[in-house]
Amino acid sequence: MSATIKDIAKEIGLSTAAVSKALNGKGGVSTETREEIMKIAKRMGYTRNTMAASLVTKTTKTIGVFLLSRNRENVRGNISMEILGAIMEEADVRGYDIVLYTANNDLRNGKTYVELCKSRKIDAVIFLGLKLDDPHISELIEIDIPVAAFDTFIENSNINMIETDNNAGIEMALDYLWSLGHRKIGMLNGYRKAQVSQRRHEVFKNYMTKKGIYNEKLVYEGDYTKKSGYVEAQKMTESRNLPTAIFAASDMMALGAIEYFVEKGIRVPEEISVVGYDDVIMSEYSTTKLTTIGQDVLRIGKELVRCVLEKQKGKIIKVEPRFIIRNSCAVMKQE
Amino acid sequence: MSATIKDIAKEIGLSTAAVSKALNGKGGVSTETREEIMKIAKRMGYTRNTMAASLVTKTTKTIGVFLLSRNRENVRGNISMEILGAIMEEADVRGYDIVLYTANNDLRNGKTYVELCKSRKIDAVIFLGLKLDDPHISELIEIDIPVAAFDTFIENSNINMIETDNNAGIEMALDYLWSLGHRKIGMLNGYRKAQVSQRRHEVFKNYMTKKGIYNEKLVYEGDYTKKSGYVEAQKMTESRNLPTAIFAASDMMALGAIEYFVEKGIRVPEEISVVGYDDVIMSEYSTTKLTTIGQDVLRIGKELVRCVLEKQKGKIIKVEPRFIIRNSCAVMKQE
DNA sequence: TTGTACGCGTTATCAA
DNA sequence: TTGATAACGCGTACAA
């Protein structure tokens, strides 16, 4: 039971008003009494009750972070976790605390995102892993708290979106493959209904078409998991129309594909080059270190916090990717 | 600006007391009026202000989680993040929210752990990555909020510790190596001053001594990182006294060591077997899939939440490890 | 069953 | 510069 300003006021024989002002560094108090108050506060072990304060100030210095689509495969090595780290750092710098919510399948106690935030009087909200087909997405559109989401854009809403610039990243990767002499380039995409997948495919198609080498048949669809990368690589191989290079929409799929190729004695990168997306930790630690389009998680976290604390609305913020060249691509071999 | 119980009371022509009781499912209200109140509350978009409520109930339904020693190498593939996921889940089930704190180097705004918790009237605290030489550890000993820490035991304190049963895990691993015929078994430990390192070495030494095959010279000291595993593996090799099997105190060190061996043409597991500790995601995805002592992060997270919510004090809770056999160990080759 | 009234700890307003 | 005092939204004795 720590002391309150009332206790301090009584102790020093002043009003709570004076104590409050002194403790918050506001004017209206002589430096003399301020110092006295600070001293007593320290001695009595005073800690401010932010709950009580927020009741009158209407602000809690709190950012709500929703960590969604967090299934078991995901939680380990998920980029959301890395972004969360960056968010924590930035929030810390700005003097904000973080309330962390999860919502695997059903929302907690039947409460909605908005209710959760309102009941804690949260100042701003960040979504990680929000899906377009989330059944509770509609309520977010009307929310009057600043909200930002990573990688998910909701039209006609106030929700800010931060994403890695797909255009820039994919073009860098394809330029690279092109420069290595590859002309028969396949794509290993994520599931079609996901927004990112659509956008990435679009960029890929545009680029390839411009170069005059787009081939619909070389586009395969997985679901971002390693397993699906493995499966699609098998299909590719069995189609007897294997490209010389593959652009995968996620590192995990890239790694899965590589695993299949290696098992079948198809050497990477000597016989087939593979580019990934994300720069998850495994891409650096796997045997064939992955060349990949890296997402700048630090920047993403920072931007997420910044835009929401600056009360921006409906902005689209693109973060520059970092193209990371490792060992999974090689000059196209002479046939 | 959402509605308050006062608004509802006015709307329906009852007292705030009645509304409060009805909303909280307490007795003293006829089911008739209760239903009426619930309906109106819904219509008016009422959401409870937990800040105000906590002011009188003295409880916030909040668990503070401190995510410490979170450097860049750490955040990716760190076991703390996996445990955090489990904590979230369990807290969710029990109806608690999580306030997440970080404290990389200096504490936020010069505030101490305790101040941070007190000011938010946090009900319970969990530490992930707490180090024994943390300069602020002393204040934790006197804290009157239930606290639990993963893998860090502080003597003569009320802090609960949850850890993976080192004895059980390491013995399983060594039994396994023994059964494969290995007698010259080395240890790749973490830095000596870390508590876990000491305990793991102790278990290792006891086991080996009992078998009559302990050899001090075969114990190397890294710092849990992949890099240090690589470096120590080099030292081992250059000592010209390479064991036939190595028990590493972390997967990352094991992977680093394997990387060195493979580079030097020393085949794993044919020429040297390696066992890891943790079961981080990379151990499953690396080319040489790691045989390792897996920590049950789900259970650990659950126990962390449970013991702290049940207000336990100074308990030591051991979670059973899961020994996971993959491909990094083999029967000892005949010389 | 319902209502009154107080207190929780803080900030803000206004008067002294 | 200082001090009463009224909010803030809610829960809860206690009285009706």
Side-chain angles (χ1 to χ4, degrees):
Chain A
M1 203 61 59
S2 40
T4 70
I5 56 169
K6 214 182 265 181
D7 298 328
I8 298 177
K10 197 171 292 175
E11 177 79 10
I12 198 175
L14 287 177
S15 72
T16 60
V19 178
S20 175
K21 282 179 209 158
L23 256 23
N24 291 314
K26 305 229 170 168
V29 188
S30 68
T31 34
E32 212 170 276
T33 53
R34 152 165 296 131
E35 280 171 9
E36 182 68 10
I37 288 172
M38 298 296 257
K39 213 161 60 187
I40 303 231
K42 197 161 201 173
R43 177 161 62 73
M44 298 181 71
Y46 170 79
T47 54
R48 187 161 168 275
N49 184 335
T50 50
M51 309 285 120
S54 75
L55 202 53
V56 26
T57 60
K58 305 289 187 199
T59 166
T60 52
K61 288 279 192 178
T62 300
I63 299 174
V65 176
F66 284 85
L67 208 50
L68 273 22
S69 28
R70 202 181 47 69
N71 57 46
R72 268 197 93 250
E73 155 144 5
N74 243 359
V75 86
R76 325 182 76 205
N78 189 334
I79 193 171
S80 295
M81 282 297 192
E82 301 189 22
I83 295 176
L84 176 61
I87 291 175
M88 285 171 61
E89 210 125 298
E90 184 66 13
D92 194 26
V93 170
R94 292 176 181 256
Y96 275 73
D97 286 347
I98 286 176
V99 175
L100 193 59
Y101 293 102
T102 185
N104 247 348
N105 18 35
D106 31 47
L107 291 175
R108 134 107 62 96
N109 299 340
K111 293 212 177 144
T112 67
Y113 297 141
V114 179
E115 281 168 359
L116 248 18
C117 295
K118 293 234 167 185
S119 76
R120 276 204 181 264
K121 292 280 174 283
I122 278 172
D123 297 326
V125 195
I126 293 174
F127 280 88
L128 261 23
L130 179 64
K131 284 182 182 160
L132 264 186
D133 58 356
D134 188 303
H136 298 271
I137 214 162
S138 60
E139 69 195 37
L140 286 179
I141 299 179
E142 315 172 350
I143 198 172
D144 55 351
I145 306 172
V147 19
F150 170 62
D151 246 358
T152 311
F153 177 63
I154 293 159
E155 289 188 74
N156 301 324
S157 77
N158 286 330
I159 303 176
N160 302 285
M161 173 182 67
I162 281 75
E163 65 167 6
T164 293
D165 188 336
N166 281 293
N167 252 305
I170 295 173
E171 282 185 6
M172 272 189 272
L174 296 179
D175 276 345
Y176 177 66
L177 290 178
W178 176 272
S179 76
L180 290 177
H182 294 282
R183 297 296 177 266
K184 192 170 173 186
I185 304 175
M187 176 173 188
L188 184 41
N189 203 3
Y191 42 74
R192 210 167 310 163
K193 60 177 178 173
Q195 215 176 35
V196 243
S197 309
Q198 288 168 23
R199 223 141 355 111
R200 288 179 189 168
H201 176 252
E202 204 177 304
V203 178
F204 176 79
K205 186 173 179 179
N206 285 347
Y207 184 99
M208 299 298 280
T209 307
K210 210 171 348 174
K211 293 285 191 185
I213 53 174
Y214 181 68
N215 181 353
E216 186 84 43
K217 292 223 175 79
L218 259 30
V219 177
Y220 287 77
E221 182 185 343
D223 63 2
Y224 289 114
T225 65
K226 188 182 182 193
K227 193 171 181 178
S228 76
Y230 185 96
V231 170
E232 296 304 311
Q234 184 169 14
K235 285 188 199 159
M236 276 187 204
T237 310
E238 288 169 355
S239 76
R240 308 228 120 286
N241 189 24
L242 206 59
T244 67
I246 296 172
F247 160 57
S250 83
D251 283 348
M252 296 313 287
M253 287 196 295
L255 291 173
I258 290 176
E259 183 166 307
Y260 177 81
F261 292 142
V262 169
E263 276 181 26
K264 291 298 163 193
I266 303 170
R267 286 171 304 150
V268 179
E270 291 81 356
E271 297 182 58
I272 186 164
S273 293
V274 179
V275 173
Y277 202 113
D278 282 347
D279 189 32
V280 298
I281 183 148
M282 275 82 68
S283 61
E284 193 171 349
Y285 286 112
S286 56
T287 317
T288 308
K289 295 192 174 50
L290 204 60
T291 290
T292 186
I293 300 164
Q295 306 214 47
D296 189 345
V297 290
L298 242 52
R299 266 297 300 286
I300 290 170
K302 268 190 194 213
E303 288 298 314
L304 245 9
V305 172
R306 186 192 56 71
C307 80
V308 94
L309 250 31
E310 289 177 0
K311 299 192 196 309
Q312 301 196 318
K313 286 181 178 180
K315 294 242 174 172
I316 295 181
I317 298 165
K318 290 186 191 293
V319 171
E320 280 303 295
R322 298 171 301 122
F323 188 58
I324 298 157
I325 297 178
R326 297 206 183 91
N327 312 323
S328 64
C329 296
V331 174
M332 205 195 97
K333 69 160 197 261
Q334 298 301 88
E335 303 274 348
Chain B
M1 202 62 57
S2 40
T4 70
I5 57 170
K6 210 183 269 180
D7 298 329
I8 298 177
K10 198 172 291 175
E11 176 78 11
I12 199 175
L14 286 178
S15 72
T16 60
V19 177
S20 175
K21 283 178 209 161
L23 255 25
N24 292 313
K26 304 231 171 170
V29 188
S30 69
T31 34
E32 211 171 272
T33 54
R34 152 162 297 130
E35 280 170 8
E36 182 68 11
I37 289 172
M38 298 296 258
K39 211 161 61 186
I40 303 232
K42 195 160 202 173
R43 178 162 60 72
M44 297 181 72
Y46 170 79
T47 52
R48 187 162 168 276
N49 183 336
T50 47
M51 308 286 121
S54 75
L55 206 52
V56 26
T57 60
K58 305 291 187 195
T59 168
T60 52
K61 287 277 191 180
T62 299
I63 299 174
V65 176
F66 284 86
L67 209 50
L68 273 21
S69 28
R70 203 181 45 70
N71 58 46
R72 267 196 94 250
E73 153 147 3
N74 242 359
V75 86
R76 327 182 73 207
N78 189 335
I79 194 170
S80 294
M81 284 296 192
E82 301 187 24
I83 295 177
L84 176 60
I87 291 175
M88 285 170 61
E89 210 125 298
E90 184 66 12
D92 194 25
V93 170
R94 291 175 181 258
Y96 276 73
D97 286 348
I98 286 176
V99 175
L100 194 59
Y101 294 103
T102 185
N104 248 349
N105 18 34
D106 31 50
L107 291 174
R108 133 106 63 94
N109 300 341
K111 291 210 179 148
T112 67
Y113 297 142
V114 179
E115 280 168 1
L116 248 18
C117 295
K118 292 234 167 186
S119 75
R120 276 204 182 265
K121 290 280 173 285
I122 278 172
D123 297 326
V125 194
I126 294 174
F127 281 87
L128 261 24
L130 179 64
K131 285 181 183 160
L132 263 187
D133 58 356
D134 188 304
H136 297 270
I137 214 163
S138 61
E139 70 196 34
L140 286 179
I141 298 179
E142 314 172 350
I143 197 172
D144 55 350
I145 306 172
V147 20
F150 170 63
D151 246 359
T152 311
F153 176 62
I154 293 159
E155 290 188 72
N156 300 324
S157 77
N158 287 330
I159 302 176
N160 302 284
M161 172 183 67
I162 280 74
E163 65 168 4
T164 293
D165 188 337
N166 281 292
N167 250 305
I170 296 173
E171 283 185 5
M172 271 190 273
L174 295 179
D175 275 345
Y176 178 66
L177 290 178
W178 177 272
S179 75
L180 291 177
H182 295 282
R183 296 296 178 268
K184 193 172 174 184
I185 304 174
M187 176 172 188
L188 185 39
N189 202 3
Y191 41 76
R192 210 168 311 161
K193 60 177 178 172
Q195 215 176 35
V196 242
S197 309
Q198 289 168 22
R199 229 153 335 124
R200 287 179 190 170
H201 176 252
E202 204 177 306
V203 178
F204 176 79
K205 186 174 180 180
N206 285 347
Y207 184 98
M208 301 297 280
T209 306
K210 212 173 346 179
K211 293 285 190 186
I213 52 174
Y214 180 68
N215 181 354
E216 186 84 45
K217 292 223 174 77
L218 259 32
V219 177
Y220 288 77
E221 181 185 342
D223 63 3
Y224 289 113
T225 65
K226 188 182 183 195
K227 193 171 183 181
S228 77
Y230 185 95
V231 170
E232 296 304 312
Q234 184 169 13
K235 286 187 199 162
M236 276 187 205
T237 309
E238 289 169 353
S239 77
R240 308 227 116 288
N241 189 25
L242 206 58
T244 65
I246 295 173
F247 160 56
S250 83
D251 283 349
M252 296 313 286
M253 287 196 294
L255 291 171
I258 290 176
E259 183 166 308
Y260 177 82
F261 292 141
V262 169
E263 277 182 26
K264 291 298 163 189
I266 303 171
R267 286 170 304 150
V268 178
E270 291 82 356
E271 298 181 59
I272 186 164
S273 293
V274 179
V275 173
Y277 202 112
D278 282 347
D279 189 31
V280 299
I281 184 148
M282 276 83 67
S283 61
E284 194 171 349
Y285 286 112
S286 55
T287 318
T288 308
K289 294 190 175 52
L290 204 60
T291 291
T292 187
I293 300 164
Q295 305 215 49
D296 190 344
V297 290
L298 242 53
R299 266 298 299 286
I300 290 170
K302 271 192 188 200
E303 288 298 313
L304 245 8
V305 172
R306 186 192 56 71
C307 81
V308 95
L309 251 31
E310 290 177 359
K311 300 193 197 308
Q312 301 196 318
K313 288 181 177 179
K315 294 242 175 170
I316 294 181
I317 298 165
K318 290 185 190 296
V319 171
E320 281 303 295
R322 298 171 301 121
F323 187 57
I324 299 158
I325 297 177
R326 297 205 182 91
N327 312 325
S328 63
C329 297
V331 173
M332 203 195 96
K333 70 160 196 265
Q334 298 302 88
E335 301 275 346

